[in-house]
Amino acid sequence: MAGRHGHGVDAVSHPVVEVRDLQYTYPDGNPALRGLSFSVAQGETVAIVGANGAGKSTILLHLNGCLMPQAGTVRIGDFPLSKRTLPDVRRTVGMVFQDPDDQLFMPKVQDDVAFGPLNLGLPADEVDRRVMHALSIVGAAHLKDRPPYRLSGGEKRAVAIASVLSMSPTILVMDEPTSNLDPQARRRLIELLKTFEQTIIVATHDLDMAFDLCARTIVVKEGRILTDGPSREILQDAVLLVAGHLERPLRLQGCPVCSPPG
Amino acid sequence: MEKTGSSLLDLTYLDTLSDQDTPVHRLDPRVKLLTTLLFIVCVVSFNKYELSALLPFVIYPIVLVALGNLPLGYLLKKVLLAAPFAFLVGIFNPLLDRAVLVHLGPLEISGGWVSFASIMLRFVLTVSAALILVASTGFNAVCLALEKMGAPAAFTVQLLFLYRYIFVLGDEALRMLRARSLRSFGGRGMALQVSSLMIGQLLLRTLDRAQRIHLAMRCRGFDGEIRIARQLRIGGRDLVFLVGCSAIFLFMRLHDVPRWLGDTAMALMR
Amino acid sequence: MHMADALISPLVGGAMWAATAGLTVYSARKLKEKADDSMVPLMGVLGAFIFAAQMINFTIPGTGSSGHLGGGMILSILLGPYAAFLTMASVLTVQALFFADGGLLALGCNIFNLAFFPCFIAYPFIYRKVVGERPTRRRLVVGAVASSILALQMGAFGVVLETLFSGISELPFTTFLLLMLSIHLAIGVVEGLVTAAVVTFVCKARPEILEMAAVARPPATPALKNVLAGLLVVTVVTGGALSWFASANPDGLEWSMFHTSGKEALEVADQGPYALAARLQEKTAFLPDYGFRKGEEKEVPATSGEGDAAAEAGKGKAEEWPDVSAGKSLSGLVGAAMTLLLAGLIGLGLRRSQRKR
Ligand SMILES: Nc1ncnc2c1ncn2[C@@H]1O[C@H](COP(=O)(O)OP(=O)(O)OP(=O)(O)O)[C@@H](O)[C@H]1O
Ligand SMILES: [Mg+2]
C-alpha cells in the first residue's frame, strides 16, 4: 500500500486522531462547531454524518490544519495541531475535497498528482514513482496526460484521491466522496476504499456507504456530536436518525427490492 | 447566447486539436512561439501598400495546417469571425486615400484599396498564425514555454489557473444563462440590473471557489510557489525548424517572390 | 476594443510589448513582496470569472444592442492594481490566442490599453480617491462609473494613437479619435454601471470581501507613480522617436500623422497631388522599378461590391501596382497566381502524405 509509515506498536493503543472540545466560529459570526470531541484509532474507518450545515466539513478542515481550532485541541498522531507542526500534520493527513474541481487545479493529471510530492521536496524520480503508483492504485494510470477538465466526474474523483495518495498519508479524510457519482462509479469507489489500509474518515450523506464501508458512525447536529458508535446500531436507530435529520439507509428500511435477504 | 456558448466550445475544440501527435505538435513550444512571433513581425513590417510580397507568407500557415492535421475550414471561420475591427478601420482607407496607384488595363485602383487589401491580408496571416500556434501546441505548453523563456512565474501560473477554471466557471455561467433565458420573456431578463446580479452571484461563487482551491493547495503543501516537473528539450529537429523558418521568412521579407516568379514565367513564355 | 496585428507596425507593437513586459515584471515583483499565497488561485479564478462574466450579456439601455463586461475595473477593485494588471494581462493573452481578439504582436498594445489604464490610472487616481476609506453606496457607484469611463476613454485614445503611429490606417487623427471616444463613452457608462452594481451586490452579501480588498491592498504608492510616469515617457519617446527615425529612412515605415495631415490638405483644397505623389513615391522608393503615374486622382466608387472585389479577387490585380506597363502587370498577376497555386499544392501534398501515415 502507498507508503504506510505506521506509528509503531503503540499506535494501536493511542488514537491517531484526537479532537477535544473543538469550537469554531466562521468570520461572519456563524458558530459552526460548538465543542465536540472524538478520537479515532489506527486503521479505523469512520463516517461522519449529519444534516446540511451540521458542521461536517468544518470538522474535516480542522483535521489537517486548513482551519485552526479557536478553542479546544486537535492532535494528529504525535503532533498537536499548531502552526509549527503543520507540515507534519499535512504529511500525515490527506484531504480529498468534495468538489474535485477545487482540488485538481493543475494543467495535467500527472502535474496534479505530482503537486504534493514536489512540495515535499522529493527528488524527481521518487516523484515519478509516486505519481504512477498513486494513479495505478485508483486505476487511473491511463489518464495521466489528460487535462482534468476533460475527465468525467468519476475519473475526477479517482484522480483527486490519487493526488492525495501520492503524498503517502496514513490518514485519509474525505468530504462526500460519493456525491455526483453514478451508481457504478460509486460502487467502484467504495470497493476501492475498502482495500485501503489507511485510517479513513469520511463525511457523507450517503448512509448506505457509511453502512457498507465504515464500522463506526458519528452523527453531528448543529456543531455538536449527537451520537458516536458502531454503524450497525446507529444506522438502525430510527429515532436517533430523525433527530439528526437523517433516515435509515435504504437497505435497512426492509425494502424487499434493495435489502439483502435475511 | 449562441455566441457565448460557442466560445466555450471553441476553447474545448482548439484544446482537443492540440492533443494530436504530428510533426508540428511534437515541436518544442518555445520554438513554435518564437517562429510565430517572427512570422508576425515579418508580415506586419511591410510597407502599407505592399501586397504581392505578402502573398508567399501564406505558405507558413498552409504548411502547418497540412502537417499538423488541423481543420482549415474551421480556422478560416474563426479568422473571419474576428475580422470586424480590422475591417472597420481598414475600410476607411479606400474612402480617404483615393490617389490611383495601380493601372490594370482600363481599371484603376486607388492606394486606399491596395492598403485595405493589404490590411486584410495581414490580418488573415497574423491571426491564423496565432490560432495555429495554440491549435498545434496547446495552451498549457504555451504557458510553459513562456515561463521557460523568462516570463514571471506570477504571470504564467496565473495563466494556467485562468485556463483551468474557464471551463468550470464557463459552465456555471452557461447554467445561469440557461436559467435566465427559460424565465425571461421578450428579452426583459436582459436588463442591466438582472445581468449585474447574475454577474455578482457568479462572482461570489468564484470567490468561494478560490478560497476552497487555496485550501486544497495548502493541504498539499503549497507554499506560494508552483512547481511543475515537466522539462522541455530542444532537439535537432526543433533547431532545424527554427532556423529554416527564420531564413525563409527573412528571404520572403527581402525579396518579392511573386514578382520574380511572374517575370521568370513571362520571360519563358516569350 | 482590441487592437489588431494587421493595423500596427512592428515598431509600435514592439514598444508596447516592451512597456507591458516591464509592467508585468514589476507587478509580479510587487506581488511577491506581499507574499500572500492565497492570491495565486484567487487571481487565476477571477481571470476565468471575467470570461464567464463576459458570457452574461445585457442590453445596453437605449440602443437595443447587447454588451458585456470588460473587467479591468472590477479586477482592480477586488485585487488591487498589481494583481489586477497581471490577471487582466492573462485574460487578454487568452483572448489573443483563442479568440483571435487582437493578436500576438498587438498584445502589448491591448494590455496597455485595457489593463494598464484601469489598473494603474483609473483605479488609484479616480476610484480610490472617490470611494475613500469608508465606502458608501453612492460613492461606490460614482467611483465605479467615473473610473470605468476614464479607463475606457484612455484605452480608446491608446488605440487611436497606436493606429496612427503605425501608419497603416488612413483615418485622420481627429475623426478617428472622436469616433472612438464617443463609442467608448457609451461603453464606459455601461461598464461603470455594471461594475457598480456588482460591487454593491458583493458589498451587501459579503461586506468582508471588499473590506479585505480595501485594507490589504493600499492604493498605488508614490513610487509607483514615478515608475509609471517613467514608463509612459519611455514608451512615448521610443515610439515617437523611432517612428520619426524610421520614416526618414528609405526602407522605413511611414509616420502616419505626417501622412494623414498632408493628405487632408490635399483633399480639402484639391491641390498638390504632385506633392502627394512625390511623397508616396519617396516612401515606396525602395521597391524596384516603381512607376507611379503622377497627377491623376480618380475617385473610386466605394460601393461594397467593388470593395469585396478589390479585397479578394482584387488582390491579384492589385499586387502589381508598381508597374505601369501592361506586360509587367500581367507578369505580376501571373506571379501572384503561381505563388498561391504553389502554396496550395504544397499544402495538399503535405496533407496527403500526412494522411497516409
Ligand atoms: N466559509 C464559510 N463562511 C461562513 N460560514 C460558513 C462557511 N462554511 C460553512 N459555514 C457555515 O458553517 C456551518 C457548518 O457548515 P459545514 O460546511 O461544516 O456543514 P456540512 O455539515 O459540511 O454541510 P453539508 O452537508 O451541506 O456539506 C453552516 O451553518 C455553514 O453555513
Ligand atoms: Mg460539507
Side-chain angles (χ1 to χ4, degrees):
Chain A
M1 185 76 339
R4 281 201 66 196
H5 295 308
H7 283 264
V9 188
D10 60 347
V12 184
S13 53
H14 70 220
V16 289
V17 174
E18 193 171 20
V19 174
R20 275 241 176 87
D21 299 321
L22 183 62
Q23 292 183 24
Y24 189 84
T25 302
Y26 277 101
D28 60 351
N30 206 333
L33 302 182
R34 307 163 194 247
L36 44 75
S37 312
F38 62 91
S39 53
V40 178
Q42 161 98 48
E44 253 190 314
T45 40
V46 181
I48 299 181
V49 301
N52 288 129
K56 304 180 293 293
S57 301
T58 312
I59 297 176
L60 297 194
L61 289 175
H62 280 88
L63 296 184
N64 70 349
C66 282
L67 296 177
M68 286 294 181
Q70 289 166 345
T73 56
V74 174
R75 171 180 275 278
I76 303 295
D78 299 326
F79 310 108
L81 180 59
S82 70
K83 276 246 147 40
R84 200 175 45 77
T85 60
L86 212 53
D88 298 302
V89 168
R90 292 203 169 138
R91 208 163 304 182
T92 318
V93 181
M95 171 103 180
V96 181
F97 283 76
Q98 177 172 355
D99 184 350
D101 274 326
D102 295 341
Q103 187 153 3
L104 306 177
F105 42 79
M106 296 291 276
K108 275 189 186 181
V109 164
Q110 60 177 346
D111 296 332
D112 211 287
V113 181
F115 182 82
L118 283 173
N119 285 335
L120 292 179
L122 297 173
D125 50 340
E126 169 69 4
V127 172
D128 279 348
R129 205 188 55 74
R130 285 197 181 198
V131 169
M132 285 322 294
H133 186 62
L135 281 173
S136 64
I137 289 177
V138 299
H142 60 292
L143 302 175
K144 76 178 170 54
D145 285 320
R146 295 268 290 274
Y149 45 83
R150 279 205 255 136
L151 300 178
S152 75
E155 290 169 337
K156 276 186 196 170
R157 187 81 55 167
V159 173
I161 292 174
S163 72
V164 165
L165 286 181
S166 64
M167 297 182 73
S168 309
T170 51
I171 303 168
L172 265 181
V173 173
M174 304 192 198
D175 201 348
E176 314 210 15
T178 55
S179 63
N180 287 326
L181 293 189
D182 69 36
Q184 273 200 17
R186 170 180 171 277
R187 176 50 55 195
R188 270 202 300 276
L189 177 67
I190 293 176
E191 296 307 322
L192 173 69
L193 292 181
K194 275 185 181 170
T195 66
F196 285 9
E197 293 167 35
Q198 284 98 332
T199 306
I200 297 179
I201 302 175
V202 286
T204 186
H205 293 293
D206 181 349
L207 299 186
D208 285 274
M209 178 189 71
F211 188 79
D212 237 23
L213 180 70
C214 308
R216 178 177 158 202
T217 297
I218 298 176
V219 182
V220 184
K221 187 186 180 186
E222 289 162 12
R224 292 197 183 85
I225 290 184
L226 196 62
T227 32
D228 177 356
S231 304
R232 281 205 167 271
E233 288 167 25
I234 289 179
L235 296 175
Q236 299 258 24
D237 188 337
V239 181
L240 186 75
L241 289 174
V242 169
H245 288 271
L246 303 166
E247 62 178 17
R248 279 202 285 172
L250 289 174
R251 64 168 55 190
L252 298 179
Q253 285 181 10
C255 154
V257 183
C258 45
S259 57
Chain B
M1 170 112 190
E2 281 80 52
K3 189 188 165 239
T4 51
S6 75
S7 68
L8 262 194
L9 286 183
D10 272 339
L11 274 179
T12 322
Y13 186 53
L14 277 174
D15 202 68
T16 1
L17 287 181
S18 69
D19 216 12
Q20 306 180 68
D21 188 32
T22 72
V24 184
H25 286 76
R26 281 194 290 271
L27 288 171
D28 186 283
R30 283 168 292 183
V31 164
K32 275 185 275 188
L33 187 61
L34 279 179
T35 318
T36 308
L37 283 177
L38 183 68
F39 175 80
I40 293 175
V41 169
C42 282
V43 165
V44 301
S45 70
F46 278 105
N47 178 286
K48 77 171 165 187
Y49 292 112
E50 188 57 70
L51 256 180
S52 72
L54 272 171
L55 278 178
F57 280 87
V58 297
I59 195 73
Y60 178 70
I62 285 183
V63 166
L64 290 200
V65 161
L67 284 182
N69 193 27
L70 301 172
L72 183 64
Y74 171 79
L75 293 177
L76 278 181
K77 209 172 73 197
K78 285 216 68 164
V79 170
L80 285 184
L81 280 180
F85 182 63
F87 185 86
L88 282 180
V89 173
I91 197 66
F92 282 95
N93 284 8
L95 299 178
L96 297 171
D97 179 3
R98 291 175 171 179
V100 174
L101 208 53
V102 184
H103 292 261
L104 199 77
L107 206 66
E108 289 172 330
I109 297 170
S110 72
W113 282 115
V114 174
S115 62
F116 172 69
S118 176
I119 287 179
M120 292 324 282
L121 184 55
R122 282 159 208 252
F123 179 80
V124 171
L125 288 174
T126 52
V127 166
S128 58
L131 284 177
I132 287 170
L133 174 68
V134 258
S136 70
T137 312
F139 188 70
N140 295 324
V142 174
C143 290
L144 203 61
L146 278 176
E147 165 140 38
K148 301 272 180 212
M149 286 160 68
F155 179 65
T156 51
V157 163
Q158 135 81 28
L159 271 175
L160 286 176
F161 267 88
L162 169 87
Y163 188 62
R164 166 70 181 85
Y165 284 98
I166 282 180
F167 297 95
V168 177
L169 297 183
D171 268 344
E172 269 180 37
L174 268 188
R175 282 198 296 271
M176 291 175 108
L177 281 172
R178 225 168 269 143
R180 175 176 78 176
S181 67
L182 284 179
R183 285 179 295 164
S184 75
F185 303 96
R188 250 169 293 166
M190 296 276 288
L192 222 53
Q193 269 130 335
V194 181
S195 303
S196 307
L197 288 188
M198 287 170 68
I199 294 174
Q201 198 71 50
L202 189 66
L203 178 58
L204 286 186
R205 288 195 214 167
T206 306
L207 292 170
D208 282 344
R209 187 178 289 278
Q211 218 168 25
R212 292 198 304 269
I213 296 168
H214 183 228
L215 277 182
M217 293 171 76
R218 286 219 321 234
C219 283
R220 288 195 277 152
F222 175 62
D223 53 7
E225 196 178 327
I226 301 258
R227 300 170 180 83
I228 295 186
R230 259 181 292 147
Q231 289 301 319
L232 294 177
R233 212 167 293 119
I234 291 191
R237 203 190 269 268
D238 300 310
L239 280 182
V240 169
F241 180 80
L242 182 62
V243 174
C245 283
S246 311
I248 294 172
F249 294 161
L250 285 181
F251 179 78
M252 294 193 298
R253 173 63 186 88
L254 297 175
H255 300 271
D256 190 341
V257 179
R259 168 178 310 277
W260 173 81
L261 267 180
D263 286 346
T264 319
M266 297 304 280
L268 283 180
M269 264 189 271
R270 257 179 232 130
Chain C
M1 183 107 29
H2 290 75
M3 197 62 187
D5 276 357
L7 297 175
I8 61 171
S9 68
L11 219 62
V12 171
M16 299 313 277
W17 254 72
T20 46
L23 282 169
T24 306
V25 171
Y26 176 74
S27 300
R29 200 164 294 159
K30 274 287 179 193
L31 209 61
K32 208 164 185 181
E33 274 169 25
K34 242 174 250 157
D36 176 4
D37 62 21
S38 74
M39 286 301 262
V40 174
L42 183 60
M43 286 162 59
V45 179
L46 279 177
F49 159 77
I50 295 297
F51 272 93
Q54 287 179 345
M55 292 163 63
I56 300 177
N57 50 347
F58 38 75
T59 340
I60 295 177
T63 63
S65 66
S66 80
H68 61 69
L69 196 69
M73 275 322 293
I74 268 198
L75 286 177
S76 307
I77 294 170
L78 289 168
L79 292 169
Y82 307 112
F85 178 80
L86 288 176
T87 308
M88 204 56 210
S90 57
V91 168
L92 292 166
T93 306
V94 172
Q95 282 176 340
L97 283 171
F98 282 87
F99 303 114
D101 269 343
L104 290 186
L105 186 62
L107 187 58
C109 299
N110 284 321
I111 293 178
F112 205 83
N113 300 342
L114 297 171
F116 173 80
F117 290 127
C119 301
F120 286 131
I121 305 282
Y123 173 74
F125 298 114
I126 304 290
Y127 182 83
R128 299 287 326 176
K129 293 267 152 37
V130 174
V131 171
E133 287 308 308
R134 249 177 247 101
T136 62
R137 215 193 114 95
R138 176 179 298 162
R139 284 180 167 197
L140 272 183
V141 174
V142 173
V145 173
S147 54
S148 297
I149 292 177
L150 182 78
L152 274 157
Q153 292 288 299
M154 288 189 294
F157 190 60
V159 170
V160 173
L161 277 190
E162 287 148 11
T163 309
L164 290 175
F165 273 93
S166 298
I168 311 282
S169 163
E170 295 287 341
L171 273 170
F173 177 71
T174 39
T175 318
F176 194 23
L177 187 66
L178 287 179
L179 203 70
M180 288 292 283
L181 289 190
S182 52
I183 292 174
H184 284 82
L185 184 64
I187 299 179
V189 172
V190 175
E191 168 104 14
L193 288 176
V194 175
T195 304
V198 172
V199 170
T200 41
F201 177 81
V202 173
C203 214
K204 238 185 270 166
R206 297 270 200 74
E208 76 274 6
I209 290 173
L210 287 180
E211 273 162 33
M212 220 175 60
V215 173
R217 291 149 203 147
T221 53
L224 174 61
K225 274 187 231 165
N226 298 342
V227 173
L228 294 183
L231 262 175
L232 211 61
V233 170
V234 168
T235 313
V236 170
V237 169
T238 44
L242 286 179
S243 306
W244 188 264
F245 176 74
S247 76
N249 200 317
D251 191 31
L253 306 132
E254 303 119 310
W255 194 31
S256 153
M257 271 155 105
F258 207 67
H259 176 70
T260 309
S261 52
K263 198 66 210 304
E264 258 174 345
L266 168 88
E267 269 177 9
V268 173
D270 200 18
Q271 38 128 278
Y274 287 98
L276 169 74
R279 183 171 298 135
L280 279 179
Q281 169 122 35
E282 177 188 294
K283 273 170 189 156
T284 46
F286 66 97
L287 286 164
D289 48 53
Y290 166 74
F292 186 75
R293 203 197 278 174
K294 295 175 180 180
E296 255 192 48
E297 192 182 0
K298 188 151 181 176
E299 303 275 350
V300 175
T303 58
S304 67
E306 178 144 344
D308 289 345
E312 284 161 40
K315 268 170 205 157
K317 302 168 203 156
E319 85 278 327
E320 88 291 23
W321 58 267
D323 306 304
V324 186
S325 79
K328 284 233 166 156
S329 300
L330 194 59
S331 93
L333 261 183
V334 169
M338 284 173 68
T339 310
L340 290 180
L341 194 71
L342 263 179
L345 282 179
I346 291 176
L348 272 180
L350 284 176
R351 171 145 295 194
R352 186 117 346 127
S353 70
Q354 195 63 14
R355 288 261 159 84
K356 263 186 211 134
R357 261 187 252 160

